[in-house]
Amino acid sequence: MRVISKNFIWMVLAAGSLLALSSCKKTLETKAYSYFTSDNFFSNTDEANMATLGVYGAVSNFSGYGWYVPMVLDNDNDISQISGNSVDSWRVIPHYLGIPETDIYYSTWSVLYQGIDRANVVIEKIPQMALFTSGTDAQKALLNRNLGEAKFLRGFYYSELVRLWGDVPFKTTSSKAGDNLKGTLTDRYVIYDQIIKDMKEAVDLLPAAVPTDERINKWGAKAMLARVCLFAGGYSLATDGTMKRPANYKDYYTIAQTQINDIMAANPYKLNASYPQVFINQCKHNMEFTESIFQIALYTVADPAGDQPNSSRFGFWNAPQTAKGIYSSTNLREATVRPFYESYQAGDFRKDFAVARYTVAADGSRTYPTSSTADQNWAPGKWSREYQTNSVTEQTSTDINCVVMRYSDLLLMRAEVENELNEGPNTTALDAINQVRRRAYGLDMAGSAISFTITNGGTGYTSNPTLQVSGGGGNYAAVAVATRSGNRITALTVNNPGYGYTSAPTVTVTGGGGTGAVITASLVAKPTTDLVYIPTGLTKQQFLDTLVSERAKELCFEGMRRSDLIRWNLLGTKIADTYAKTQAIRTTYPYPAYTNFKPGKHELFPYPQNEKDVNSSITRQNPGW
């Protein structure tokens, strides 16, 4: 991230240290983490601002959005899974083998409640400040912004607790000496009412200007409120063990529609014409505030050796396998599943960018493994080491932010809301999804993909020669010999069609013992809109099915897929479907989710045992646990 973000993180850490209690083991064993007492300081605007930054800082760590929330708690699903079968907690949870004692549950639960408690302090103390009513206009504006940020973040953190655990302890006042710190479980829809109230009030207090750092603004709060409403109106696991949605679910969709329409009328966002460039910018910490609506700041603040508590696993655990050399190595833990890659259509630039079927060698070159089980190690490609800064501080942890909401997500939510409320897709829904698909197929992106033709098969080739693509102004096109017949090259495999080529590159043929082979590269014509756009005439269900697929292709590996499937009541169905497809590839293809997932249980996580041990008011466990 940029220098401004480094300063932001340092301020967050300082503010967090002033607001947080000790997190030592003794404290965790004697207090319920859903509530704790925090010291506070609000004598001037600087202190109020620092306290507000401390609310952000609660989740800027591995337990929050640097690792656990987007990469552990979102797996396994129909697009990705954690590799391996060891008993590490970050493996057993995605593989649906976690138990209430598994430590990651409590770690994430704790940081979310820590953020809520910090927000409660800010929300109470700022209106009590003399400057809040008698300060200068600039002081009042800053304090109101701080208040709005705290209200938004309290709502956001509660929405994440409800998304992951359903009914949870709920408190909107700061904890004080003598308080009963053992909160009972509150119905999730009561909590949703407060979340919506908090976020609406935040919208009225937050600035509309495009941000210059990771702090939320008016339009970001509206976008996140729209997402909250889709979850509130979607399916969730009820206390009786069945999947239900509220009878008035369309009321939530209507609130979402209003928020989205307001954003579109103001028009603060736009799509980057290049889908790959969105993530290259993210890897290089070039924050794109017209594309990235809300993101969590992450940064390595200390010596690069070992793990840093406020850094990120993006680009290290969810990136192509990379050997140490030109780039730092990776430790691939989140892999994609082959059926997801095969769900993309030809010509979709997301296909070979989002999914990496290659590894990166020490010299920085890409290799496309050809073994029969290579597809088990296909990786998310969005955060490859190739796109990162290669800084010495990003060797095992990175500075890559967690982008919680992108503009394409908002467009797809708009399409979904319109389809739901109008009992089928209207022109607004079609326009929204087609904007996303237009970019996916590069209709507005400079350059093209590449196709390859055997102009001359040559002679005397006793082994497959190496084919090297160079020039043309584009990126990553790769081709290999597929077969030879009579010592001639007779078929090719296009490993990657590349993107951004403005002229035909040169293909150099080396090795193989033969001579005379000529492979010609050509620019691929971009498809017409009738091949890209979703057509009119789809039913409500057909359009929803299309959206389910489109959200996977556009937002894959960004931390929401599993929860999206749950709110559509599709998680079990998609796991079974993915298993059937992997078995059709080969019966030994590993996909433990199918064996371990239990409907009516795994749609929610268990209440952490640590919390239940100290909070006797949590008198039940989530269904199935």
Side-chain angles (χ1 to χ4, degrees):
M1 63 190 71
R2 304 185 308 181
V3 173
I4 189 169
S5 299
K6 180 177 180 180
N7 294 336
F8 179 84
I9 285 289
W10 276 109
M11 293 177 71
V12 163
L13 293 177
S17 67
L18 289 167
L19 284 177
L21 281 183
S22 166
S23 59
C24 67
K25 188 172 186 291
K26 181 177 180 180
T27 300
L28 297 184
E29 288 176 343
T30 58
K31 281 189 182 291
Y33 215 109
S34 43
Y35 310 116
F36 69 85
T37 302
S38 298
D39 293 331
N40 54 77
F41 65 123
F42 290 88
S43 64
N44 56 54
T45 55
D46 285 344
E47 291 180 353
N49 193 51
M50 289 283 282
T52 304
L53 292 178
V55 185
Y56 284 96
V59 298
S60 292
N61 47 52
F62 282 169
S63 296
Y65 295 83
W67 181 12
Y68 292 169
V69 174
M71 297 179 219
V72 176
L73 301 182
D74 189 56
N75 278 294
D76 296 0
N77 48 55
D78 61 336
I79 63 174
S80 63
Q81 62 178 345
I82 297 299
S83 61
N85 290 296
S86 70
V87 295
D88 301 281
S89 57
W90 49 264
R91 275 198 172 109
V92 299
I93 288 175
H95 289 342
Y96 301 99
L97 292 172
I99 58 176
E101 291 82 2
T102 306
D103 57 352
I104 283 177
Y105 293 134
Y106 186 63
S107 296
T108 299
W109 172 282
S110 298
V111 297
L112 289 169
Y113 272 112
Q114 183 184 72
I116 289 166
D117 283 315
R118 293 179 183 182
N120 285 339
V121 172
V122 173
I123 291 167
E124 287 180 3
K125 295 303 180 182
I126 284 182
Q128 296 174 13
M129 295 174 63
L131 293 176
F132 187 72
T133 54
S134 61
T136 66
D137 288 346
Q139 289 171 326
K140 291 178 182 178
L142 178 57
L143 292 177
N144 273 291
R145 175 183 177 173
N146 292 154
L147 182 59
E149 289 174 290
K151 288 189 175 185
F152 165 78
L153 290 169
R154 180 172 71 181
F156 172 58
Y157 297 154
Y158 266 127
S159 74
E160 294 292 81
L161 284 163
V162 169
R163 175 171 72 90
L164 300 171
W165 280 280
D167 303 342
V168 295
F170 178 59
K171 192 168 183 281
T172 57
T173 58
S174 63
S175 301
K176 301 173 181 64
D179 282 359
N180 177 11
L181 301 180
K182 297 179 179 180
T184 59
L185 298 177
T186 299
D187 183 274
R188 69 202 68 177
Y189 295 103
V190 173
I191 300 175
Y192 273 129
D193 287 344
Q194 182 64 46
I195 294 168
I196 293 169
K197 180 176 182 293
D198 275 347
M199 289 192 171
K200 284 183 174 180
E201 290 176 357
V203 163
D204 293 335
L205 296 170
L206 292 169
V210 175
T212 57
D213 54 28
E214 293 91 339
R215 300 175 79 157
I216 194 73
N217 73 347
K218 177 187 294 289
W219 311 117
K222 278 183 167 287
M224 291 303 297
L225 173 55
R227 174 185 283 178
V228 164
C229 288
L230 290 189
F231 275 92
Y235 288 89
S236 63
L237 183 61
T239 56
D240 64 0
T242 62
M243 293 293 290
K244 296 178 181 178
R245 71 191 314 179
N248 66 332
Y249 74 92
K250 286 193 175 183
D251 292 346
Y252 294 109
Y253 277 77
T254 300
I255 297 171
Q257 182 187 52
T258 299
Q259 307 310 309
I260 296 170
N261 287 347
D262 288 348
I263 296 169
M264 297 306 176
N267 196 30
Y269 303 114
K270 63 179 180 181
L271 293 175
N272 187 320
S274 168
Y275 183 82
Q277 194 61 44
V278 172
F279 300 95
I280 294 171
N281 286 344
Q282 188 181 345
C283 286
K284 294 187 182 302
H285 323 310
N286 298 325
M287 290 183 288
E288 202 173 1
F289 294 110
T290 53
E291 171 87 30
S292 298
I293 294 175
F294 177 49
Q295 54 190 304
I296 304 295
L298 297 157
Y299 199 80
T300 305
V301 298
D303 185 273
D307 293 333
Q308 305 304 318
N310 294 88
S311 57
S312 171
R313 286 297 197 195
F314 280 91
F316 178 67
W317 281 45
N318 60 348
Q321 289 184 330
T322 303
K324 186 175 180 59
I326 288 180
Y327 307 115
S328 297
S329 63
T330 59
N331 196 356
L332 175 62
R333 290 294 181 253
E334 180 181 358
T336 188
V337 290
R338 180 173 167 178
F340 170 60
Y341 173 79
E342 294 173 342
S343 72
Y344 283 97
Q345 295 171 293
D348 189 331
F349 281 103
R350 298 172 300 191
K351 180 176 184 177
D352 286 291
F353 182 81
V355 177
R357 296 179 297 120
Y358 58 87
T359 60
V360 180
D363 65 1
S365 63
R366 291 184 174 186
T367 299
Y368 289 82
T370 57
S371 71
S372 60
T373 59
D375 51 9
Q376 295 171 197
N377 292 311
W378 291 355
K382 292 178 173 180
W383 304 280
S384 174
R385 286 291 197 189
E386 302 159 294
Y387 316 137
Q388 296 179 36
T389 65
N390 210 23
S391 166
V392 294
T393 63
E394 294 187 84
Q395 294 179 14
T396 57
S397 303
T398 74
D399 298 344
I400 299 174
N401 282 353
C402 177
V403 178
V404 178
M405 168 78 74
R406 290 195 290 113
Y407 182 45
S408 56
D409 190 343
L410 184 67
L411 286 169
L412 294 175
M413 287 197 302
R414 185 180 212 194
E416 183 176 350
V417 165
E418 293 297 325
N419 183 59
E420 188 65 50
L421 293 178
N422 292 284
E423 296 300 320
N426 57 10
T427 56
T428 300
L430 289 167
D431 174 71
I433 193 173
N434 287 333
Q435 284 188 58
V436 175
R437 289 179 61 81
R438 183 179 183 86
R439 177 174 69 177
Y441 287 82
L443 298 191
D444 300 315
M445 182 173 65
S448 301
I450 298 299
S451 63
F452 299 91
T453 303
I454 301 172
T455 303
N456 188 328
T459 185
Y461 288 97
T462 56
S463 62
N464 287 345
T466 299
L467 308 183
Q468 182 68 42
V469 181
S470 59
N475 299 283
Y476 301 116
V479 63
V481 174
T483 58
R484 291 173 291 109
S485 178
N487 292 337
R488 294 172 54 84
I489 297 172
T490 55
L492 302 173
T493 297
V494 179
N495 287 320
N496 195 323
Y499 65 92
Y501 287 90
T502 54
S503 63
T506 299
V507 182
T508 305
V509 183
T510 58
T515 60
V518 177
I519 310 300
T520 304
S522 304
L523 299 180
V524 176
K526 294 184 179 180
T528 58
T529 55
D530 63 310
L531 296 176
V532 172
Y533 287 180
I534 301 301
T536 59
L538 297 184
T539 65
K540 177 182 177 182
Q541 186 60 51
Q542 288 171 333
F543 190 74
L544 178 60
D545 292 343
T546 301
L547 273 167
V548 169
S549 175
E550 197 66 30
R551 283 186 68 86
K553 295 171 184 175
E554 174 68 21
L555 305 170
C556 53
F557 322 125
E558 296 180 44
M560 289 300 297
R561 183 59 178 178
R562 183 178 177 277
S563 290
D564 272 346
L565 293 176
I566 290 170
R567 70 179 178 85
W568 292 318
N569 196 19
L570 288 176
L571 180 57
T573 299
K574 288 295 186 180
I575 286 174
D577 179 61
T578 302
Y579 175 73
K581 290 176 179 176
T582 61
Q583 292 299 288
I585 295 168
R586 63 181 171 278
T587 56
T588 57
Y589 193 110
Y591 187 65
Y594 177 76
T595 302
N596 301 332
F597 174 78
K598 300 294 185 293
K601 173 182 179 180
H602 286 125
E603 291 88 354
L604 288 176
F605 293 125
Y607 298 120
Q609 192 59 46
N610 288 35
E611 183 73 11
K612 289 186 89 268
D613 286 345
V614 297
N615 185 356
S616 57
S617 295
I618 301 180
T619 57
R620 63 172 175 84
Q621 188 50 273
N622 269 329
W625 296 95

